[in-house]
Amino acid sequence: MLQELQLSAQQLLERPEAFNTGSAEILVSALLLCIKDTKIAAKTENVLRSLQNVQIIQELIGKHVKCVMSTMEKDKASLQEFSDMVEHSAVLQKHFQCYLHSILTRLNKDFSSKPNCHLLVKVSLQLFQLFPQEMRTICWKATRFNELDQYELSTGGDVLPVVTGLIYTVFSEDLDLESRLLAAMALVMFANVAPNAGTRCKMYNLLWDFTGILNTGATTDCRMSCDEKAGQYCARFQQVLQAINACNNKNSEDCNFGLEISSKHTGFAHVAFLHALLVNARVKEINNFHQAAFTAILNICTSSNYAYQAFNLLVLWFDSKMKVLREAKAKGYHQTLCSTEMKGNPLLEKTDIVSEGTFSKSLEFSLSKPMFGESSSTAVERLLSLLQRNWEHATDGVAELVHKSFSLLLEAHQREQHLADEVIANKETNFYKSLLRNVSHLPWTVRAKFEQMAALAGYVGTNILLADMPDLQQEVVNALSSNQLAKCASRFYGKHLSVTLSEASDRKDAVKIWQCYWLQPLINAISSSDTLQQHNATRYLLPSTLKVFPDAYAILTNALACANGVATTLNSKSSIDNDKRIHLTRVQWLHASIAIMQVGRQLKFITGADLEVGSLREALFHDNDVIRSGAFATLCVTPAKTERLSEVELCLLRENLSKNMNIDNAPFRNGLKTSIKVLLCRVRDSSISQVKNADRLPDQVYPAIAFVDWLYKHCLLSLYPGGCYQRRKTALDLITQVMETFLASPPAQRRKGKVPESTAKLVSLALAAGMWDFCGDPAARVLDVVLLDSVAEIREDAAYIREQYFSWPPHAGAAVDVWYGMQQWLSKGLQLCCSSRSQDCEIGALICKMIYRK
């Protein structure tokens, strides 16, 4: 539709005489409908901009806007339509500018109505945000025009009721948090339209004082109704307006900001207002905003019931602080510190805000005394204590905010030092060292240890990290034994390797450092007898190592070659002490060898032709299920989905697959099913391109097609009556994988991973070659017999395959001669349902259910 509108707009611009009023009305209606859709609003706005000079289009848009405004008094939908239009279109905003008074009048009526509250708040925010100049004219009136220009806030008209409704919304605990946050943002935007910086700062201060008075509840009875409380809000706000008008003066330079929040009174109003200030306020004009806000946010995080919103404030505060520091660096600020002149708590020092145009004196004073200069400072100690207590907070999302706040603290310290003189800059490393010492005292079972070390790794450097923490390698390996710790330990390990590479003079030196400190712990981890530790090391540590240091693959394979099942030393060229020997049993050696081959193949270090056949064959015949599962994954899983099967892979799979179908180990069977699924997709995707223009199977794909045919027939033979449960279950799972990979099922059953349309030709060519008779009579007869199995899970799997992929109605089978046609099936099913044996009843019910589904 949008493309048609763009074409129509282009035709209108080229041939305006070809468009009559009716055609233009249709075009405008369609454009106004599309502008409400967020996905296509931007492109629709481009079309509207291209038509700005077309008179008939602008007249029709103005007519539609006038129609919306005429129905706004009675119809809520018109207010929603206005909100959608002005949100996405600057062109439409111009048409609504002359109707702002009418919109304010409409907003005055329904703020106490909870269903409409969110929309009313959103529209109020849009008015102050999108029409600042117009709203300034409405809200403020000039009382004198000379060198001492003064403005007075309009206490009459439509502005006061709207602002009062916003305040009521912020403190209404029975309203949703999003509406209350938006109301606070609208109040701050209301302050932003003040005529000068001094007035804006006083508005921020007085609004905050006003919210603090209400939150303490000094004169508010908790038994009061919402309407009674709203009356108090209005009366108090009138006092605030009088105070603003009384002290308003353009030449007033006193723009200090004070946020005094008691830990006993940290309601959501404080959270909402601080959030709005951090996001929308012009903090450059407020002298001590960051210092005061920091203390307020720490109090809120300590005692607030809104943990996520409170810690989100902390992240927003750091973002605002970092923006100030970046601007300071961009302007080339450098302040020489006179340490004897700077005394007192850094939180009490004046501003860290960049004023417009040039740096103010307060900025210079603030940057010369950084907030995070020492780890022992009150600010840092309190912040670190708060983060440490909430590092694993139970509320969703809070832990991530805590981690981000810690990282931002480290970055803020670094930026502050870069803006200070060399005396402070030399203390930068000491700050990070002191934090590292605190982290090193934590036990390795605490997640915070690895998360904080990952954040610190880029600041302290590899040498300091390894020197101060001699047990670091073993602690990382120990953490792999826990799923809770494995990811954070691996993230630290990857970060540590990246830092090592960046600090080294060249890649060879970095590899030597890794080899010296991490080679032996890594081999111990991937060859560990602890299954979980070995799995996590293969999944996390080994890929991280090879991605950063590709040369490590050769080092690892050489180390295993030297430790081939016996106690040996590493290669004499290795930087590891020759007294340190690698003792690996044959099982451990196979664990490590398979892990390295598996990860190496996933990262494209080797292909199927480069596999170590002897080690793989030994692993595939080993009695350890984990080793065999890893060997199958090495054979089947590749990063390239179109990689053809090599002769080595086909030979090893034929030798060992049949011997691994009756394993009484559910994780092994699931892993085998997953590996075979990937293998079948490789066969399909690599063969489709080869048969695209062929009338018979090419020789290149014939071995893979023959293997799939052998696999399917072998699975059917494994369903013989009386076979073990594991073999039959594995066979049915593999048959299902074959069907899902090569045969298209109904769309309702397959939302993802649909079979490519070109697969049908591949199947037809295979059928012509006498293979892939997936839905033929032999397979149908086998599945008919399996439907009578005594195990419910086996029956249901067979029923699913029979129902989804085979023709209906069912035909006669050799196993049960009386089943002919649908009537015979239904008759047999009902007969089994009447049996005295519960298993027969379940079988009959399953047959009847299959028939009724079709």
Side-chain angles (χ1 to χ4, degrees):
M1 179 179 179
L2 184 59
Q3 293 179 351
E4 295 176 356
L5 292 177
Q6 292 173 337
L7 180 61
S8 299
Q10 184 65 28
Q11 292 175 353
L12 177 59
L13 292 173
E14 295 175 353
R15 300 174 56 196
E17 68 280 357
F19 275 73
N20 54 30
T21 304
S23 301
E25 287 180 350
I26 295 174
L27 176 61
V28 170
S29 299
L31 287 172
L32 295 180
L33 181 64
C34 292
I35 200 67
K36 302 174 186 177
D37 190 339
T38 306
K39 296 181 180 179
I40 60 175
K43 295 182 178 179
T44 307
E45 171 67 0
N46 293 333
V47 178
L48 287 172
R49 288 178 180 175
S50 66
L51 300 174
Q52 283 188 95
N53 298 325
V54 181
Q55 183 177 358
I56 186 174
I57 296 296
Q58 297 306 311
E59 290 177 355
L60 290 172
I61 292 177
K63 183 179 178 180
H64 182 83
V65 168
K66 187 175 181 180
C67 180
V68 170
M69 295 305 304
S70 65
T71 59
M72 186 172 290
E73 289 290 335
K74 301 179 181 179
D75 190 8
K76 174 188 173 183
S78 298
L79 195 62
Q80 180 67 58
E81 188 173 3
F82 161 78
S83 176
D84 294 338
M85 286 181 178
V86 299
E87 181 179 0
H88 299 126
S89 175
V91 175
L92 296 178
Q93 290 172 16
K94 297 178 181 179
H95 288 272
F96 280 103
Q97 286 178 354
C98 58
Y99 296 104
L100 297 184
H101 280 286
S102 301
I103 298 171
L104 287 171
T105 302
R106 173 69 175 86
L107 294 177
N108 293 343
K109 296 183 177 181
D110 297 330
F111 255 108
S112 59
S113 176
K114 295 178 184 177
N116 297 341
C117 182
H118 183 81
L119 176 59
L120 296 173
V121 170
K122 181 180 178 181
V123 172
S124 302
L125 176 60
Q126 289 172 331
L127 290 178
F128 291 115
Q129 190 173 24
L130 301 177
F131 306 96
Q133 298 296 333
E134 293 78 7
M135 292 303 297
R136 178 178 300 170
T137 303
I138 295 173
C139 296
W140 296 86
K141 59 182 179 180
T143 58
R144 185 167 47 168
F145 297 93
N146 51 35
E147 295 181 356
L148 298 175
D149 289 343
Q150 291 184 346
Y151 295 83
E152 183 180 354
L153 184 64
S154 300
T155 56
D158 300 316
V159 178
L160 176 59
V162 172
V163 177
T164 304
L166 293 173
I167 293 176
Y168 171 80
T169 303
V170 174
F171 293 101
S172 296
E173 296 182 358
D174 51 348
L175 294 176
D176 62 286
L177 299 184
E178 184 179 359
S179 297
R180 298 172 69 184
L181 279 173
L182 290 178
M185 289 185 182
L187 286 170
V188 173
M189 297 304 295
F190 163 65
N192 284 348
V193 301
N196 52 60
T199 304
R200 283 190 287 271
C201 185
K202 289 179 174 61
M203 290 284 288
Y204 299 146
N205 249 323
L206 290 172
L207 281 174
W208 179 260
D209 292 341
F210 176 62
T211 58
I213 291 172
L214 289 181
N215 258 6
T216 58
T219 61
T220 302
D221 190 349
C222 62
R223 294 170 294 182
M224 293 173 60
S225 65
C226 291
D227 293 337
E228 291 172 332
K229 291 180 180 179
Q232 283 200 3
Y233 298 160
C234 294
R236 290 174 184 172
F237 187 63
Q238 290 283 358
Q239 299 174 4
V240 172
L241 294 180
Q242 295 175 3
I244 292 173
N245 286 332
C247 67
N248 183 29
N249 190 315
K250 181 179 179 181
N251 287 349
S252 175
E253 297 180 357
D254 184 14
C255 296
N256 290 329
F257 197 67
L259 297 178
E260 297 295 336
I261 301 179
S262 171
S263 60
K264 296 181 180 179
H265 304 293
T266 52
F268 187 76
H270 289 114
V271 176
F273 193 75
L274 259 177
H275 182 275
L277 283 172
L278 288 167
V279 174
N280 293 316
R282 299 182 180 181
V283 295
K284 293 181 180 181
E285 301 172 352
I286 311 172
N287 285 348
N288 61 333
F289 173 75
H290 282 99
Q291 287 88 344
F294 183 77
T295 304
I297 291 172
L298 290 185
N299 285 334
I300 291 174
C301 291
T302 302
S303 56
S304 176
N305 294 327
Y306 306 95
Y308 181 86
Q309 290 81 4
F311 280 96
N312 189 46
L313 283 180
L314 187 58
V315 173
L316 290 174
W317 182 91
F318 270 113
D319 289 339
S320 179
K321 178 74 174 178
M322 298 298 294
K323 182 179 180 180
V324 170
L325 294 174
R326 283 193 294 268
E327 289 182 1
K329 183 178 180 180
K331 291 177 182 290
Y333 174 79
H334 182 83
Q335 174 67 28
T336 302
L337 174 65
C338 298
S339 58
T340 58
E341 299 179 0
M342 300 301 154
K343 299 180 181 180
N345 192 326
L347 290 179
L348 301 179
E349 300 295 345
K350 286 194 174 181
T351 183
D352 55 354
I353 307 301
V354 182
S355 63
E356 297 179 0
T358 59
F359 288 93
S360 64
K361 295 180 180 180
S362 56
L363 172 67
E364 298 176 0
F365 192 74
S366 172
L367 291 179
S368 62
K369 184 65 175 179
M371 291 183 64
F372 307 111
E374 296 288 345
S375 61
S376 59
S377 67
T378 305
V380 175
E381 285 184 349
R382 191 176 177 193
L383 178 59
L384 290 175
S385 176
L386 175 68
L387 297 180
Q388 198 67 42
R389 292 195 307 270
N390 295 277
W391 201 270
E392 299 184 27
H393 201 284
T395 304
D396 290 342
V398 174
E400 289 74 12
L401 294 174
V402 172
H403 302 169
K404 187 174 182 180
S405 298
F406 184 79
S407 299
L408 289 172
L409 167 64
L410 303 180
E411 185 179 355
H413 169 79
Q414 186 183 55
R415 289 187 178 273
E416 284 186 338
Q417 301 312 309
H418 289 173
L419 291 175
D421 70 349
E422 297 180 357
V423 176
I424 290 184
N426 289 335
K427 298 181 180 179
E428 180 178 339
T429 306
N430 295 332
F431 174 83
Y432 297 125
K433 280 185 177 181
S434 62
L435 293 181
L436 183 62
R437 282 194 297 270
N438 295 336
V439 173
S440 65
H441 294 154
L442 296 174
W444 65 266
T445 54
V446 178
R447 286 184 59 188
K449 180 168 188 172
F450 296 103
E451 298 283 1
Q452 293 179 20
M453 285 195 303
L456 285 166
Y459 298 95
V460 298
T462 301
N463 295 332
I464 296 176
L465 190 66
L466 294 174
D468 291 357
M469 304 183 68
D471 298 329
L472 178 61
Q473 297 94 319
Q474 188 58 44
E475 289 180 346
V476 171
V477 173
N478 291 340
L480 298 175
S481 300
S482 170
N483 282 330
Q484 184 182 10
L485 301 174
K487 289 186 178 180
C488 56
S490 63
R491 281 195 293 269
F492 158 71
Y493 177 75
K495 179 69 174 179
H496 170 64
L497 294 186
S498 300
V499 173
T500 302
L501 180 60
S502 63
E503 291 181 346
S505 57
D506 55 22
R507 182 174 292 274
K508 290 183 178 180
D509 291 340
V511 171
K512 289 180 180 179
I513 294 174
W514 168 83
Q515 186 176 357
C516 178
Y517 287 99
W518 290 100
L519 175 60
Q520 190 163 350
L522 180 59
I523 292 179
N524 292 339
I526 61 177
S527 63
S528 174
S529 57
D530 185 339
T531 303
L532 186 58
Q533 186 181 91
Q534 190 271 338
H535 171 76
N536 286 330
T538 304
R539 183 180 180 184
Y540 298 119
L541 293 197
L542 195 53
S544 298
T545 303
L546 296 180
K547 288 178 182 178
V548 179
F549 300 129
D551 297 339
Y553 184 81
I555 296 174
L556 286 167
T557 53
N558 291 336
L560 286 183
C562 295
N564 191 356
V566 295
T568 64
T569 60
L570 290 174
N571 193 329
S572 59
K573 296 182 180 180
S574 173
S575 60
I576 295 182
D577 191 348
N578 287 333
D579 293 334
K580 295 181 179 181
R581 298 174 181 273
I582 296 181
H583 297 271
L584 297 179
T585 64
R586 194 61 183 172
V587 174
Q588 292 175 328
W589 186 87
L590 284 174
H591 272 303
S593 180
I594 294 300
I596 293 173
M597 273 195 290
Q598 181 179 351
V599 176
R601 188 167 193 190
Q602 291 174 359
L603 298 179
K604 299 182 180 181
F605 286 96
I606 57 174
T607 62
D610 301 325
L611 294 173
E612 182 63 37
V613 179
S615 301
L616 271 176
R617 180 175 281 109
E618 182 181 357
L620 289 169
F621 281 101
H622 203 276
D623 59 355
N624 188 299
D625 294 337
V626 177
I627 293 177
R628 289 201 313 280
S629 180
F632 275 111
T634 303
L635 283 174
C636 300
V637 180
T638 61
K641 295 182 179 180
T642 58
E643 182 179 341
R644 290 205 303 266
L645 273 67
S646 64
E647 295 183 4
V648 173
E649 293 170 319
L650 292 173
C651 179
L652 292 175
L653 287 171
R654 282 179 181 270
E655 288 180 7
N656 298 276
L657 189 58
S658 61
K659 299 179 178 63
N660 287 275
M661 294 183 65
N662 60 343
I663 305 302
D664 188 15
N665 185 327
F668 174 82
R669 294 200 304 272
N670 291 334
L672 178 63
K673 180 174 67 173
T674 303
S675 299
I676 295 299
K677 173 66 175 178
V678 175
L679 182 78
L680 294 174
C681 290
R682 283 176 55 195
V683 172
R684 181 193 67 195
D685 296 342
S686 62
S687 302
I688 285 176
S689 60
Q690 298 292 329
V691 302
K692 187 175 182 179
N693 300 318
D695 54 358
R696 64 181 183 86
L697 286 178
D699 295 338
Q700 298 94 328
V701 303
Y702 194 91
I705 301 298
F707 170 78
V708 175
D709 186 68
W710 169 84
L711 173 65
Y712 186 77
K713 292 179 179 178
H714 183 76
C715 290
L716 290 177
L717 293 175
S718 299
L719 294 174
Y720 58 86
C724 67
Y725 165 81
Q726 290 79 9
R727 179 173 289 277
R728 287 178 295 154
K729 175 61 178 170
T730 303
L732 287 171
D733 287 341
L734 296 183
I735 290 174
T736 303
Q737 296 297 336
V738 171
M739 296 292 194
E740 290 181 351
T741 305
F742 296 101
L743 300 180
S745 59
Q749 303 293 330
R750 298 289 302 278
R751 295 183 180 179
K752 293 183 178 181
K754 292 184 179 180
V755 179
E757 296 180 359
S758 53
T759 308
K761 183 174 183 180
L762 177 64
V763 175
S764 63
L765 292 178
L767 282 170
M771 296 179 288
W772 286 22
D773 189 13
F774 297 143
C775 300
D777 288 345
R781 296 189 186 101
V782 172
L783 292 175
D784 289 346
V785 175
V786 179
L787 286 174
L788 304 176
D789 197 275
S790 59
V791 181
E793 193 174 359
I794 299 295
R795 292 195 305 268
E796 291 174 357
D797 289 349
Y800 171 80
I801 298 171
R802 191 74 169 85
E803 180 182 352
Q804 294 295 328
Y805 298 102
F806 284 80
S807 60
W808 284 83
H811 46 72
V816 185
D817 294 335
V818 297
W819 292 15
Y820 181 76
M822 193 68 71
Q823 293 182 350
Q824 284 74 17
W825 270 63
L826 181 60
S827 175
K828 183 63 177 178
L830 293 174
Q831 180 181 354
L832 290 171
C833 287
C834 297
S835 173
S836 59
R837 298 177 69 247
S838 61
Q839 290 181 348
D840 291 344
C841 293
E842 292 175 356
I843 296 172
L846 179 62
I847 294 173
C848 293
K849 184 167 64 174
M850 287 176 55
I851 295 173
Y852 291 135
R853 281 177 179 172
K854 301 301 287 190

